[in-house]
Each structure stands twice: as C-alpha cells, then as structure tokens.
Amino acid sequence: MTQQYKYTPKDFKSDQEVRWCPGCGDYGILNSVQKALASLPYPKENYAVISGIGCSSRFPYYMNTYGFHSIHGRAAAIASGVKTANPELKVIQISGDGDALAIGGNHFIHTIRRNIDITMIVFNNEIYGLTKGQYSPTSKLGKQTKTSPEGTIEKPFRVAELALGARARFFARSLDINIKLSSSIITEAIEHKSTAVIEILQNCVIFNDKTHRAFYDKENKLNNFIILEDGKRMIFGKNHDRGLRLDDNGFIEVVEIGKNGITEEDILIHDVANPNPMIHWQLADMAYPEYPVALGIIRKVEDKTYSEELEKLINAKKEKSSFKSVEDVLTSGETWEVE
C-alpha cells in the first residue's frame, strides 16, 4: 500500500524566481501541476520533471522535485529513459508545441506508440516564444510571424490527431487559465498507466497574444468550448441548451435542445473508455467556430505499458538463463588467473 503524504502546492515550489513574462499562461500551468501533485499520495522524491528547450522548459527549475532540463526536442526520449530505468518514478514531461512536434515530433509519436508510462504536457501557444516569434507546427494557416511575414502557407498540426494517430491511450485538453480543470486532468493522467498526453491551450502575451481568444471571451466562451465528463451527456452553451449527437452518417453535429423535437435524451453520453477511438477522434478534432473545442479527458483506455512488458521480458529471460549473478558471467567459459 502506498504511504500517504500530505502536501500543499507550496511544498512543490522551488526557491527559484519564476521568470516568465508577466501574464504568460505558463504561470497557470505551473500552479495546476503543483496543485495536482499536492493532491496525490506520493512523496516528492517520486516525481521527475523532464523538459526540452523553450519557455515552458524552464519548468523543472520551479518545481521542488527531481528534474532534468534536457536538449531541444529530446524531452520525450530522456523521459522514456528515466521511466524505463526506474519504473517507480512518476515522470512528467514538459514541452512546448515547437519542442514537442517539430524537432521532437519523432520522439513524441514513438513514445506514445510504445505506451511508456509518463505524463506529457504540451503547452500549445501556436508560436516559438523563446526564440522571439517564429511560426510553429501548430500556428494557424496564414499566420504572420518573423519567419512568415506574408503569412504561413503551411497547414498546422493538431496535437490530438498526432497523439491519437500514434494510438494514445489517454488524451485530454485544457486551458491555461482553468487551473481547476487542468489540475484534475493532470492528477488523473499521472495515475493512469499510459503515455498520457495533455494539450494545454496557452497564451503567449508577447508574440501570439489572444490566439485562443475564443475561449477567454467572458460573454461567448461557454458557446465556444465543451468540457467533457465521463458518463455525462455532451451538453454545453451559455444557456446549457446546446449538445452533440451523431447524424445519420455517424458524424458529430451540434444541435439545439428544445428545437425540432430534440431533447436531452438525444445527446451523446461521453465514454472515455470506449476502445473504439472513432468518437474520441471526432471529439478531439472539433475546431472553432464550426464546433465547440473539446476540453477535459477525451480518451482514457487501459493497456499494457512498455515498462510492464519489458519487466516481463527480462524476468522470462532470467528464468531461462544459467547466469544468476555478475560473478556467474565473469567466471563462465575459459578463465585465467593472472599473478
């Protein structure tokens, strides 16, 4: 049984000055992670925070846990090695959209494919912030930046599509300002045995301010996103009068409850554990303004992790091997004594 440790978020704050731009969404994510860890029953020594390069990658310095500030795009590779070497650790990987999906894209998809039991948090501000405003793999089509002064002609990646295409067992999405939602998602992600991918829509006030403005608008935001909850109907809207259902072709559509005979009974019930990913894929892929953007845990299914399979393989090999110790190896075959 896991020993219970009582912490507060403050216990996970390091003595380092947090140095992000005033108003940066990273502050909210940092608070969410610290709040999540304080709610879990593990000692601080059981956590390792691994980052790559970028504004988000300063994260380990601000956490009172083990940490590793690694190199550009390699956070997933190093986090995989840490977890494989010590499966007891709770490994949290921190990356921006550029670090994770550009130079780190190959590591991103293969970590998910292998189902290495780590929590990957992708800060998606749709820009390169640390290097001062170049377009990233998630920048909107036509976005004018220092490296696309006439507007980018490249269609962006969607984090969800990459994750689910690599067969992610856990995928969730949140907003930097919604600390309550983010911390609850992070808590579940850490507890779930899988490569748990969390995309957090994050604001860069300097180089890409208000790129997620649709979700911050006090007047209309409730019509622009839906917070999914397992076992509950997919209802949203400022007046709680909109919902999601499947049309005759099996595609998700937005309907208005109370019109054309539509009742709450017609609205889809969210099932995070559905082994068939097709509904999860549609939910994760919904984009504003045609659809509300899905927040919350979208997919959460059980599967064997890489560490579990590796341990099984090693134990099977040990049982068959005649070598039971290093000494057995060193004294096997022809040996000589040198005087």
Side-chain angles (χ1 to χ4, degrees):
M1 180 179 294
T2 304
Q3 184 177 349
Q4 296 292 316
Y5 291 82
K6 300 296 182 182
Y7 293 119
T8 67
K10 187 176 180 180
D11 292 316
F12 289 95
K13 295 181 180 181
S14 75
D15 60 359
Q16 299 298 300
E17 179 186 358
V18 181
R19 301 188 67 181
W20 286 312
C21 299
C24 177
D26 289 2
Y27 287 97
I29 303 174
L30 177 63
N31 289 338
S32 297
V33 171
Q34 290 166 340
K35 184 178 178 182
L37 299 194
S39 71
L40 290 167
Y42 308 109
K44 289 188 291 184
E45 295 77 13
N46 275 32
Y47 296 105
V49 179
I50 314 297
S51 68
I53 294 296
C55 293
S56 63
S57 295
R58 295 172 179 169
F59 214 91
Y61 297 110
Y62 307 144
M63 294 293 298
N64 188 15
T65 63
Y66 287 116
F68 195 113
H69 188 178
S70 71
I71 56 178
H72 201 193
R74 305 300 184 254
I78 292 171
S80 297
V82 170
K83 182 66 180 184
T84 302
N86 187 350
E88 297 304 313
L89 287 177
K90 303 293 181 183
V91 179
I92 302 166
Q93 180 206 321
I94 304 295
S95 291
D97 46 290
D99 187 58
L101 307 181
I103 189 172
N106 203 38
H107 297 301
F108 179 80
I109 60 174
H110 287 294
T111 300
I112 297 169
R113 176 182 66 84
R114 295 180 177 117
N115 201 31
I116 295 173
D117 184 18
I118 65 175
T119 299
M120 305 173 76
I121 304 178
V122 180
F123 296 30
N124 187 5
N125 58 18
E126 300 181 354
I127 202 77
Y128 280 103
L130 187 67
T131 50
K132 308 299 185 282
Q134 300 83 3
Y135 73 90
S136 83
T138 59
S139 295
K140 292 180 176 64
L141 183 66
K143 175 70 179 177
Q144 291 181 298
T145 72
K146 292 180 179 179
T147 47
S148 58
E150 304 302 321
T152 175
I153 58 174
E154 300 177 13
K155 292 183 179 178
F157 272 144
R158 290 181 178 174
V159 178
E161 288 182 340
L162 282 175
L164 295 176
R167 303 185 68 182
R169 285 73 165 180
F170 186 110
F171 179 80
R173 185 186 290 123
S174 188
L175 296 173
D176 53 7
I177 60 173
N178 196 332
I179 294 175
K180 181 179 179 182
L181 177 63
S182 296
S183 61
S184 67
I185 289 172
I186 293 165
T187 299
E188 287 205 45
I190 292 172
E191 291 285 66
H192 190 256
K193 293 196 173 201
S194 71
T195 305
V197 182
I198 305 170
E199 176 190 18
I200 300 186
L201 305 180
Q202 179 251 336
N203 193 42
C204 174
V205 293
I206 305 300
F207 297 107
N208 205 17
D209 194 23
K210 298 182 175 63
T211 188
H212 304 301
R213 62 174 59 85
F215 316 120
Y216 301 107
D217 178 5
K218 290 183 180 179
E219 186 65 27
N220 299 307
K221 66 180 181 179
L222 295 180
N223 294 328
N224 299 337
F225 64 76
I226 177 172
I227 298 179
L228 300 172
E229 296 183 69
D230 187 36
K232 294 187 178 181
R233 295 193 184 277
M234 302 181 196
I235 296 173
F236 69 103
K238 183 177 180 181
N239 299 315
H240 206 64
D241 59 353
R242 302 184 186 188
L244 304 178
R245 73 170 184 179
L246 295 181
D247 64 18
D248 294 337
N249 295 314
F251 295 107
I252 287 177
E253 63 176 355
V254 178
V255 295
E256 194 166 342
I257 300 168
K259 286 191 175 181
N260 301 319
I262 294 173
T263 68
E264 288 194 5
E265 297 300 314
D266 298 308
I267 306 303
L268 284 170
I269 296 174
H270 188 37
D271 179 9
V272 297
N274 187 342
N276 187 328
M278 298 316 297
I279 296 295
H280 296 156
W281 196 296
Q282 288 191 58
L283 289 169
D285 211 32
M286 292 192 304
Y288 172 83
E290 184 180 2
Y291 294 98
V293 169
L295 305 179
I297 297 173
I298 296 171
R299 181 168 177 80
K300 181 183 175 183
V301 297
E302 301 295 331
D303 199 1
K304 294 287 187 182
T305 67
Y306 183 87
S307 294
E308 290 171 334
E309 293 298 296
L310 182 61
E311 184 179 10
K312 188 189 302 182
L313 188 68
I314 291 172
N315 288 338
K317 189 67 177 177
K318 282 181 177 178
E319 289 181 6
K320 294 180 181 179
S321 176
S322 60
F323 301 131
K324 303 302 179 184
S325 66
V326 174
E327 186 178 355
D328 290 343
V329 177
L330 295 177
T331 57
S332 64
E334 295 184 12
T335 61
W336 295 267
E337 288 187 12
V338 179
E339 296 182 0

